[in-house]
Amino acid sequence: GASSCSSCDEGTSSGTGASACSPCDAGKYSEAEASACTSCPVGKASSVTESFSCTSCSAGTYAGSGATTCTKCEVGKTSGNEAASCERCTTMDDFGEGFS
């Protein structure tokens, strides 16, 4: 056996007894020395493998847990930053571009 255990870098993880670190899938991330990759939280996404963080979704987009991309809100709906979903617009000003 190994004389010591080595730590995994950010964006990778290894389970107990694993002989190598594995890259995190898109939609997941890990910090250094992680034993498992974590799904991106609601309102954030990661489109690349071996990510050490997830990118916040901007206003007008949303993402569920473990998302690989932020999804644009449908016409007539809006969202704030890091949203889990879009909400129906309540005033004409909320409709923004595309409303006619």
Side-chain angles (χ1 to χ4, degrees), residues 62-91:
Y62 69 96
S65 177
T68 57
T69 60
C70 297
T71 304
K72 195 171 184 177
C73 294
E74 298 171 27
V75 173
K77 294 188 175 185
T78 187
S79 72
N81 292 324
E82 296 185 9
S85 62
C86 298
E87 297 177 5
R88 182 168 306 233
C89 295
T90 55
T91 67

Side-chain angles (χ1 to χ4, degrees), residues 12-92:
T12 65
S13 68
S14 74
T16 304
S19 59
C21 298
S22 300
C24 294
D25 294 332
K28 297 186 175 196
Y29 73 99
S30 75
E31 297 174 353
E33 301 179 22
S35 60
C37 297
T38 303
S39 292
C40 291
V42 166
K44 296 187 176 190
S46 174
S47 62
V48 298
T49 58
E50 293 188 56
S51 182
F52 57 86
S53 66
C54 299
T55 303
S56 296
C57 295
S58 59
T61 65
Y62 69 96
S65 177
T68 57
T69 60
C70 297
T71 304
K72 195 171 184 177
C73 294
E74 298 171 27
V75 173
K77 294 188 175 185
T78 187
S79 72
N81 292 324
E82 296 185 9
S85 62
C86 298
E87 297 177 5
R88 182 168 306 233
C89 295
T90 55
T91 67
M92 294 301 244

